Amino acid sequence: MALLLPGGPATGRRRPPSRIPAAQSRLARRLTRAGAGDGLATHVVRYRHRGWNGAAAHPVEDALWAADEVVRRYGDVPVCLVGTDLGGRAALRAAGHPAVTGAVAIALWLPEPEAVLDPDPVRQLAGRRVLLVHGTNDERTDPDLSYRLAERAKKVNREVCRFEVHSDGHGLRQHRAEVLSLTADFVRGTLFGHPCARPLADALAAPPPLGLRMPLACGFGETLGH
């Protein structure tokens, strides 16, 4: 099961629009196609509130609720949390749920100076496989903040890697196909035990900083066959 966690504003207590954001729609289609042979199901989590809202961290509560719902509806199945923007932050925060085996944070939103003075916890990532993806020209959140978080996470969990998308911004539009392929390969490997593509396997195995500053090559995924 893949649970997709959308992005959103830093603050906002209204309910988000009922329509699924375009980024999550594309990601859901890509994951469904890649995992069709394994029966992968994907669900986009609809938050109760639009924003993160400081210490309330509402998207984290919603991600944990969604993981509970997976267990209630489907039984003992592994879950991979896949989040973009603040959804990426929620995916990492909620990864301690017993059903979660992996987490993906794409264009991870970490507000300064909070991420420096009071960094997010990483101990909940122990025993999970973790992927972070960040554009080097991200205008919304400093890529160095996600590197620092990944570096801390790597100390408690060897199966952490981070890919840098050179010259791309927060939306990762220039290399959207490569990011989708990387995510799909990671999810297949995490949930179903398929061998990961060589760059992903190398990044997971490499020590810092190599495995946390792995460049995402143009054309990644073109020959994967899924």
Side-chain angles (χ1 to χ4, degrees):
M1 174 68 65
L3 292 177
L4 310 187
L5 306 173
T11 59
R13 294 182 178 271
R14 292 184 179 181
R15 290 189 66 85
S18 57
R19 61 179 176 81
I20 297 174
Q24 268 58 49
S25 293
R26 287 189 292 267
L27 188 52
R29 289 194 298 268
R30 185 68 179 84
L31 292 178
T32 299
R33 185 170 72 249
D38 298 295
L40 176 64
T42 63
H43 291 283
V44 178
V45 177
R46 188 185 179 197
Y47 302 141
R48 293 167 300 154
H49 306 280
R50 292 174 61 91
W52 183 270
N53 299 318
H58 285 127
V60 180
E61 293 182 358
D62 294 336
L64 292 170
W65 172 86
D68 283 340
E69 280 295 291
V70 169
V71 174
R72 185 179 71 83
R73 297 185 186 188
Y74 298 94
D76 186 20
V77 298
V79 174
C80 188
L81 301 175
V82 183
T84 56
D85 187 64
L86 64 77
R89 189 183 186 192
L92 299 182
R93 286 275 196 102
H97 190 282
V100 173
T101 59
V104 182
I106 302 170
L108 172 64
W109 173 75
L110 292 168
E112 285 191 280
E114 180 181 328
V116 176
L117 300 178
D118 185 21
D120 278 20
V122 295
R123 292 193 177 278
Q124 75 281 2
L125 299 174
R128 277 67 176 165
R129 182 180 279 184
V130 180
L131 167 66
L132 293 87
V133 186
H134 215 135
T136 57
N137 291 351
D138 193 324
E139 68 285 355
R140 176 164 159 80
T141 184
D142 185 350
D144 187 58
L145 296 178
S146 73
Y147 173 80
R148 294 187 204 178
L149 189 149
E151 191 175 39
R152 292 170 48 237
K154 192 76 171 179
K155 293 178 180 178
V156 300
N157 178 12
R158 294 179 60 185
E159 285 207 295
V160 174
C161 67
R162 177 179 173 275
F163 278 74
E164 294 186 336
V165 189
H166 289 289
S167 77
D168 219 338
H170 188 70
L172 297 170
R173 295 180 180 86
Q174 296 180 46
H175 300 283
R176 179 179 294 157
E178 288 88 345
V179 172
L180 292 176
S181 293
L182 177 67
T183 304
D185 195 64
F186 177 88
V187 171
R188 290 177 81 249
T190 299
L191 293 181
F192 305 112
H194 294 298
C196 293
R198 181 64 181 272
L200 182 52
D202 287 349
L204 286 166
L210 297 177
L212 304 182
R213 293 196 183 278
M214 186 68 71
L216 183 59
C218 291
F220 178 93
E222 290 180 354
T223 62
L224 290 182
H226 59 71

